[in-house]
C-alpha cells in the first residue's frame, strides 16, 4: 500500500507560480511512474504531466512550456512546478503512482490539492 500526500496548492493571481509536492510512503518509490492529474468542477480528471521511473517526462499540450514535473527519489517526492498560471488552470490537482507487477498494475492516488488562479 502506498500513501500519497499532496501539498502546495492555494490561491494565486494570473501569471503567478506554484510548486506542488507529492510525498509518497513507498519504500520502492523509484520503481513507480508518477503523474499529476487535475479535475475542474464538472469535468473529467485529465493528465497534466508524468514522469517515468527512469525520469522521462511528458506533458499535456495545454501546459507545455509552463509546467515542469520532477522527482527526487531520495525524498520519495514528485514535484510540479507551475509557472504563468492562468484561470483555466484552476482545478483540484491529484498525484498518481503506478507500477507494473506480475498480477497487473498497482495504482495509487492522493487526496488532491486545490489550485485556484484568480485576481
Amino acid at each position: 500500500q502506498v500513501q500519497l500526500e499532496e501539498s502546495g496548492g492555494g490561491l494565486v493571481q494570473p501569471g503567478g507560480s506554484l510548486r506542488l509536492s507529492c510525498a509518497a510512503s513507498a519504500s520502492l518509490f523509484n520503481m513507480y511512474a508518477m503523474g499529476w492529474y487535475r479535475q475542474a468542477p464538472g469535468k473529467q480528471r485529465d493528465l497534466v504531466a508524468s514522469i517515468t521511473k527512469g525520469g522521462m517526462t511528458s506533458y499535456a499540450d495545454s501546459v507545455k512550456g509552463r509546467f515542469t514535473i520532477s522527482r527526487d527519489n531520495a525524498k520519495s517526492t514528485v514535484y510540479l512546478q507551475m509557472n504563468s498560471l492562468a484561470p483555466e488552470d484552476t482545478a483540484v490537482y491529484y498525484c498518481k503512482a503506478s507500477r507494473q507487477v506480475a498480477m497487473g498494475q498497482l495504482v495509487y492516488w492522493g487526496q488532491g490539492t486545490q489550485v485556484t488562479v484568480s485576481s
Side-chain angles (χ1 to χ4, degrees), residues 49-109:
S50 64
I51 185 166
T52 67
K53 59 183 181 180
M56 292 184 62
T57 59
S58 64
Y59 299 91
D61 287 343
S62 59
V63 307
K64 282 180 181 176
R66 300 188 299 124
F67 290 11
T68 302
I69 188 171
S70 61
R71 64 189 298 160
D72 185 337
N73 288 338
K75 295 182 178 180
S76 298
T77 300
V78 63
Y79 304 97
L80 185 68
Q81 178 66 44
M82 304 186 295
N83 299 328
S84 301
L85 284 162
E88 52 265 35
D89 295 316
T90 295
V92 178
Y93 284 71
Y94 296 91
C95 177
K96 173 187 172 184
S98 60
R99 181 167 75 99
Q100 200 70 27
V101 296
M103 298 296 291
Q105 190 176 50
L106 300 176
V107 177
Y108 303 96
W109 291 91

Side-chain angles (χ1 to χ4, degrees), residues 36-54:
W36 285 99
Y37 289 70
R38 67 186 181 187
Q39 187 169 20
K43 295 188 177 181
Q44 66 180 21
R45 188 176 298 187
D46 292 325
L47 176 66
V48 174
S50 64
I51 185 166
T52 67
K53 59 183 181 180

